[in-house]
Amino acid sequence: MKVGVFDSGLGGLTVISAIQKVFKGADIFYIADTAYAPYGEKTTQQILERCDNITNYLLQKHDIEALVVACNTATSAAIEHLRRKFPFLIVIGTEPGIKPALMISKTSKIGVLATPSTLKGSKYQELVNELSSIKKVKLYEQACIGLVEQIEKGEIDSEKTFKMLEKWLTPMKMNSVDTIVLGCTHYPLVHNVIKKIMGENTNLIQTGDAIANRLISLSLEIEHKNKGDLSISICHTGEINKNMIERILDNKKIIIRKCDI
Ligand code: DGL
């Protein structure tokens, strides 16, 4: 089976890392669209065009059967468009894990970290409205402007990244938030910093495992056997931090190359 996965950069590799643990017998083609990152500060139209070009590229070049949009921002802007335009393709998106957060929170106070574009999007609002009937919770939403750039530079443990997160998280901590939704696939990469600020017992919700399981169940429906090797190749449209790739995926056999899309 051939599967395309994309994100604006390194973030989607947190999803690949989850896929790698359970998905077998497939070739994964990952696009890190770093020439156009960050998506979270672009217009819906700009993001939609990138999603369209990348999907066309993956279809023409690799003949993919499934597409994982490993990016909350791109999912919010373009998932409906992609499903309409490519109905023959399995299309899996990424959404902030508000529902699992709701289930797990004891204080009913939940922090949501995401890009400005995700938080502004109607998809996010619809999700919140849909879930608000399940349980009454207070959401503390924070658009993390600049955090994706810090992560792309590999500044995971830097003073600047710590200070940014500390500014956003301290009000949440003061208000007894016990669960944080990582509403951008880049943010699991600063998991340790968030725990350091919020405390070890804070629940951090990411959706990589759920996406990997969804990929398995939809591919079994098209007779995928889920056995054998998994190959991963990464194609980046702009610069990419290769040390970060090694840190996230820990696999020396991955092919990394630059491409124009
Ligand atoms: N990884 C992204 C997300 O899940 C995109 C971040 C960005 O490029 O702003 O939203």
Side-chain angles (χ1 to χ4, degrees):
M1 181 160 178
K2 292 177 177 177
V3 182
V5 184
F6 76 92
D7 176 47
S8 62
L10 297 165
L13 295 180
T14 61
V15 177
I16 295 277
S17 161
I19 290 176
Q20 222 180 4
K21 282 190 242 147
V22 290
F23 192 60
K24 312 264 177 283
D27 296 325
I28 308 270
F29 302 98
Y30 182 82
I31 310 287
D33 196 17
T34 49
Y36 293 84
Y39 281 176
E41 290 156 47
K42 301 244 170 345
T43 65
T44 305
Q45 190 53 34
Q46 287 169 322
I47 303 166
L48 206 121
E49 272 168 30
R50 291 311 296 156
C51 295
D52 209 63
N53 291 353
I54 291 169
T55 309
N56 274 317
Y57 174 90
L58 286 165
L59 279 165
Q60 277 157 25
K61 183 118 178 134
H62 301 296
D63 200 20
I64 56 163
E65 297 150 87
L67 176 75
V68 178
V69 182
C71 174
N72 294 259
T73 310
T75 299
S76 164
I79 200 85
E80 271 131 32
H81 163 83
L82 294 173
R83 290 200 171 116
R84 252 195 326 268
K85 185 160 175 190
F86 307 101
F88 49 87
L89 205 56
I90 293 174
V91 179
I92 300 171
T94 310
E95 281 188 359
I98 313 268
K99 193 170 179 187
L102 216 94
M103 301 303 171
I104 210 174
S105 171
K106 292 207 168 64
T107 60
S108 292
K109 293 187 174 166
I110 296 170
V112 183
L113 307 182
T115 67
S117 175
T118 298
L119 291 176
K120 271 191 273 159
S122 54
K123 237 180 170 314
Y124 173 75
Q125 223 34 68
E126 280 160 27
L127 182 69
V128 171
N129 293 344
E130 186 193 316
L131 297 176
S132 62
S133 59
I134 301 181
K135 186 176 161 192
K136 272 271 154 285
V137 288
K138 175 140 182 56
L139 295 178
Y140 294 79
E141 290 148 355
Q142 179 64 55
C144 302
I145 296 171
L147 186 56
V148 164
E149 288 94 322
Q150 287 299 101
I151 296 169
E152 285 293 324
K153 281 191 274 182
E155 290 209 22
I156 302 294
D157 309 304
S158 78
E159 178 75 11
K160 184 170 170 199
T161 304
F162 184 89
K163 287 263 179 291
M164 284 168 111
L165 281 161
E166 190 181 43
K167 186 178 87 211
W168 296 322
L169 293 170
T170 303
M172 297 187 193
K173 190 173 178 186
M174 302 303 242
N175 281 296
S176 316
V177 164
D178 68 346
T179 305
I180 304 262
V181 174
L182 305 178
C184 167
T185 52
H186 279 75
Y187 303 167
L189 299 171
V190 286
H191 175 274
N192 288 339
V193 186
I194 297 174
K195 284 256 176 175
K196 204 161 162 187
I197 298 164
M198 291 297 295
E200 262 315 303
N201 294 331
T202 307
N203 308 303
L204 303 187
I205 310 290
Q206 51 178 306
T207 46
D209 291 336
I211 293 167
N213 290 330
R214 182 93 184 124
L215 177 61
I216 294 184
S217 66
L218 291 181
S219 53
L220 292 179
E221 284 177 17
I222 58 160
E223 323 259 287
H224 174 62
K225 301 278 179 286
N226 209 40
K227 282 196 190 108
D229 293 338
L230 188 80
S231 82
I232 301 172
S233 67
I234 299 176
C235 168
H236 50 101
T237 57
E239 293 308 307
I240 199 151
N241 185 327
K242 298 214 170 74
N243 294 335
M244 282 296 290
I245 298 179
E246 269 177 35
R247 190 163 164 171
I248 304 164
L249 291 182
D250 186 33
N251 182 339
K252 307 282 172 284
K253 279 197 293 199
I254 293 171
I255 298 163
I256 306 171
R257 64 186 175 86
K258 188 145 188 219
C259 61
D260 272 328
I261 301 177

